[in-house]
Amino acid sequence: MGEQQQVQFPQEVIDEYAALGVDLPALFSAGHLGTRMGVQIVAASADRVVGTMPVEGNTQPYGLLHGGASAVLAETLGSVGSMLHGGASKIAVGVDLNCTHHRGVRSGLVTGVATPVHRGRSTATYEVVISDEQDRRVCTARLTCLLRDVNTGDGAGAGKAG
């Protein structure tokens, strides 16, 4: 699914996690499902998360991008934004996801851009716009994450995306 890219985090975010003894770029990934589907995070901050996913390997029986694949991309990107908004003391847990599929895609790469709709103390909501290579909107999604305090038993340490 291509060469792995280094996620681009703002330096102040890297420094915040480093102060807690966490190497954020080394820790971060798209998660097992996202990795299996070829999700690549291109840039990440609490204000904007950008990621890509290949259509190939993520289609339904008619050869179109599977709606569930769009949902995985949307939840991954929105969860990363929520995690970064919450900071190192919170974990982001998705509690609501909705997706509207606008057009089918048969090949190439889709790109998702997550931007905040609401960022509070206990929840964060992101809109995710997924577009094809011609910059046509394929899917619009909205994800709300609960921001929970990190507990030592969570095993998350610096946060959970997805």
Side-chain angles (χ1 to χ4, degrees), residues 28-160:
F28 184 80
S29 77
H32 296 297
L33 180 58
T35 299
R36 218 173 304 137
M37 296 180 71
V39 173
Q40 295 287 321
I41 306 299
V42 177
S45 73
D47 293 323
R48 186 170 186 264
V49 181
V50 180
T52 62
M53 181 180 66
V55 173
E56 183 180 347
N58 294 314
T59 58
Q60 38 88 311
Y62 299 115
L64 299 170
L65 178 65
H66 196 291
S70 293
V72 168
L73 178 60
E75 183 149 1
T76 300
L77 301 179
S79 292
V80 169
S82 295
M83 176 195 78
L84 292 172
H85 163 66
S89 66
K90 300 281 187 179
I91 61 171
V93 180
V95 294
D96 183 64
L97 173 67
N98 68 63
C99 301
T100 301
H101 306 288
H102 306 293
R103 72 171 48 246
V105 181
R106 292 188 179 278
S107 64
L109 203 64
V110 291
T111 299
V113 178
T115 55
V117 173
H118 166 78
R119 290 185 293 184
R121 286 181 292 135
S122 60
T123 62
T125 301
Y126 280 75
E127 178 184 61
V128 183
V129 174
I130 299 172
S131 303
D132 65 13
E133 291 178 313
Q134 288 75 47
D135 205 28
R136 297 177 298 191
R137 191 177 292 225
V138 172
C139 175
T140 304
R142 190 188 72 232
L143 173 72
T144 298
C145 287
L146 176 66
L147 301 174
R148 292 185 38 219
D149 290 331
V150 171
N151 297 320
T152 54
D154 286 335
K160 171 190 178 272

Side-chain angles (χ1 to χ4, degrees), residues 6-26 44 84 88:
Q6 180 73 20
V7 178
Q8 300 299 310
F9 289 103
Q11 189 60 48
E12 63 271 12
V13 173
I14 293 172
D15 293 345
E16 175 189 358
Y17 283 80
L20 299 168
V22 176
D23 181 353
L24 186 60
L84 292 172

